[in-house]
Amino acid sequence: MAEQTKIADPGPLGLAGFGITTCILSLINAGVISAGALGVVLGLALAYGGGAQFIAGMWEFRKGNTFGATAFSSYGAFWIAFYFIEKAAPPAGLGVFLLFFGILTLFLWIGTFYLNRALFFVFLTLWLAFFLLAFHGFGVMGSQPGGWVGLICGLTALYTSFATVINATAGKTILPLGRPVARS
């Protein structure tokens, strides 16, 4: 009988790639740092937010985690697409792009009701940020509200990544992730 090889949890890698890329872009959207820093975001969007997150999604497929596979693969692809379209797309086109990722995120947020509270808040703030930034793309409002909500989202994703790594390394709960919102 073949020996079963255990693989590490790819979730923290995906959350870290998402969190760092989201935080830096959100600081630009919130007006905290100059739009001239967008080159940093684009590099991260391709390599870390896109590439590493997409790979994490593929490993989630291997683990049999449908939610993680869908989320990480989708947001990895989002960041790769963002790299290619950010400067080329008209604002309304970027608004439609963000709107549909907001809809996807709203649906995935419902799935987090059965996961932990940390992921619940990551996805709650993410769909809100997507909708706010889509409204910015449509010329309805400035980017600042979406930037601030996105920053909260990115920081929450980084906390969730860090807590998962620390808890797995320690073999016990050091940093809480919270119980699911809905009981199965």
Side-chain angles (χ1 to χ4, degrees):
M1 180 175 235
E3 186 177 319
Q4 198 73 328
T5 304
K6 182 179 176 185
I7 64 169
D9 183 357
L13 171 63
L15 285 163
F18 171 79
I20 289 173
T21 310
T22 299
C23 282
I24 296 173
L25 179 57
S26 295
L27 288 168
I28 293 170
N29 284 329
V32 174
I33 59 176
S34 164
L38 189 61
V40 172
V41 175
L42 293 176
L44 283 169
L46 189 59
Y48 199 36
Q53 197 173 177
F54 190 81
I55 290 167
M58 295 300 104
W59 279 103
E60 291 285 7
F61 276 111
R62 172 69 177 91
K63 287 186 68 177
N65 181 353
T66 302
F67 181 89
T70 303
F72 289 131
S73 299
S74 294
Y75 299 119
F78 166 86
W79 283 117
I80 293 167
F82 183 82
Y83 171 84
F84 288 107
I85 68 171
E86 194 283 328
K87 290 189 176 188
L94 195 55
V96 171
F97 175 72
L98 295 169
L99 176 66
F100 277 93
F101 269 95
I103 293 167
L104 170 69
T105 305
L106 179 62
F107 295 154
L108 287 171
W109 174 63
I110 295 167
T112 68
F113 294 6
Y114 304 95
L115 300 172
N116 60 56
R117 292 271 169 122
L119 287 172
F120 172 87
F121 285 110
V122 169
F123 281 82
L124 171 65
T125 53
L126 182 56
W127 71 258
L128 290 170
F130 272 134
F131 284 131
L132 291 169
L133 291 168
F135 294 151
H136 168 65
F138 299 140
V140 174
M141 63 191 320
S143 65
Q144 294 81 4
W148 287 111
V149 173
L151 182 60
I152 293 166
C153 176
L155 291 171
T156 306
L158 286 172
Y159 170 83
T160 307
S161 172
F162 179 64
T164 305
V165 169
I166 294 302
N167 294 346
T169 303
K172 62 182 179 178
T173 300
I174 304 294
L175 296 172
L177 292 169
R179 294 183 181 187
V181 173
R183 307 279 182 202
S184 296

